[in-house]
Amino acid sequence: MTTGYVFHPEYLWHDTGTSAGLLPADPTAGVQPAVHVENPDAKRRVHELIHACGLLGELMVIEPRRATVAELTRVHTPAYVQHIKTQSDLRGGGGDAGDGFSPVGHGSYDIARLAAGGLIELVTAAAHGDITNGYALVRPPGHHATANQGMGFCLFNNIAVAARHAQAELGLARVAVVDWDAHHGNGTQAIFNDDPSVLTISLHQAGCFPPDSGWTHENGTGDGTGYALNVPLPPGSGHAAYLNAIHQVVLPALDRFAPDLILLANGFDANVFDPLARQMLTAASYREMTRLLVSAADQLCHGRLIAAHEGGYSPFYTPYCALAFLEELTGTTTHVTDPLAAVVAGYTAEPFLPHQCEVIAAAAQLVERIS
Ligand code: 6DK
Ligand code: ZN
């Protein structure tokens, strides 16, 4: 088994500025400047840990390239791609992808193309058999971006671009997207909403972001009816609820769908230390969830599981979650164990509660619509 790894220093040069992720500074209104919450720190530390613990040597490093306009417009409108370029060309930065808190720094257009192209290169290597599975540690993230609108820190929908590339160029007809970022994968869902060839499954904190999005009744439209699944887990959900959702919804849905490729929108922001959500996963949770997904990919699609980094905002804990994820992807272990395991054990001793069980059961009922 070979695991591919995509990273590039330019990913860290996507400049999200000092608007905190909320509002531009306005001293007269008492709004202080603060480093944007989607800044390079957590991702840089993930890369550093992978390198320092020796795991990098176990990975096949794949060079990213910039996605072309033709590749981006399989998913996005030409006008939206041009909008990002125009915002990126602004001297001095300050551009925005559409919602007022998705910054487009000077030069971010090319970096966002390098992120989408990194995913394209990984799925290509998987289709050619050069790698079994892979991880793209990219910025900016992608799963909120729709065909014509950037939002939630996302510019181009990296996963969607890779899915369409896999179908158009690599003979991988059926693509499943599993999204366990703490926020709803609304962009990916919208792009594939009426398309039964792409199954989208999002596990997220109910109503966290975007507001009023990602409910169980959003189940696809037209020909795609049944091929969008949502598990809006209540705030406070942790290991038991997520593992239950994987067993009751994700694995049965994947079994029925029988994908040629599984893409994972791999956000680590459902961990207990994350500032942007109120879920309670630990590095051990990500390890277990990954083990199950790797095993499903082995059984269903020759192990082809390709992950794109999405959220994850705790600079000190995200790296241990990512390391657990990568250890499972590669089937190896390192000498590094979660140094906060004893602390999180005290934080996360939550039971599996009835209101969590209800949501999962409602989503599980929809699985039989998939064929
Ligand atoms: N704003 C993402 O992780 C993006 O899904 C999440 C976007 C959340 C926006 C709303 C929000 C804050 C909160 C606190 C401080 C600043 C901004 F796309 C991904 F990156 F993956 O919580
Ligand atoms: Zn997120």
Side-chain angles (χ1 to χ4, degrees), residues 19-22 36-38 43 101 141-144 151-154 181-184 208-209 267 269 275-277 309-313:
S19 69
L22 295 168
H36 194 284
V37 71
E38 203 295 297
K43 283 104 190 173
F101 49 81
H143 73 148
H144 297 307
M151 62 188 289
F153 321 153
C154 297
D181 185 279
H183 305 98
H184 178 222
C208 186
F209 185 86
D269 46 9
L276 262 62
H309 196 96
E310 299 282 357
Y313 305 96

Side-chain angles (χ1 to χ4, degrees), residues 159-175:
I159 289 261
V161 170
R164 284 298 187 221
H165 187 85
Q167 293 182 314
E169 303 289 338
L170 303 171
L172 302 172
R174 293 170 75 80
V175 180

Side-chain angles (χ1 to χ4, degrees), residues 212-280:
D212 206 18
S213 170
W215 307 109
T216 314
H217 65 79
E218 298 169 29
N219 193 212
T221 51
D223 290 348
T225 301
Y227 293 82
L229 283 176
N230 287 293
V231 190
L233 294 165
S237 295
H239 189 93
Y242 272 81
L243 266 295
N244 220 271
I246 302 263
H247 281 293
Q248 305 299 323
V249 182
V250 178
L251 299 180
L254 290 175
D255 263 344
R256 286 186 72 94
F257 185 68
D260 300 309
L261 168 70
I262 301 173
L263 297 175
L264 173 65
N266 191 21
F268 291 109
D269 46 9
N271 84 63
V272 66
F273 290 109
D274 200 276
L276 262 62
R278 287 296 174 272
Q279 303 300 55
M280 302 181 73

Side-chain angles (χ1 to χ4, degrees), residues 15 31 104 196 202 224 232 267 337 340:
D15 181 4
V31 180
V104 182
S202 183
T337 55
L340 291 158

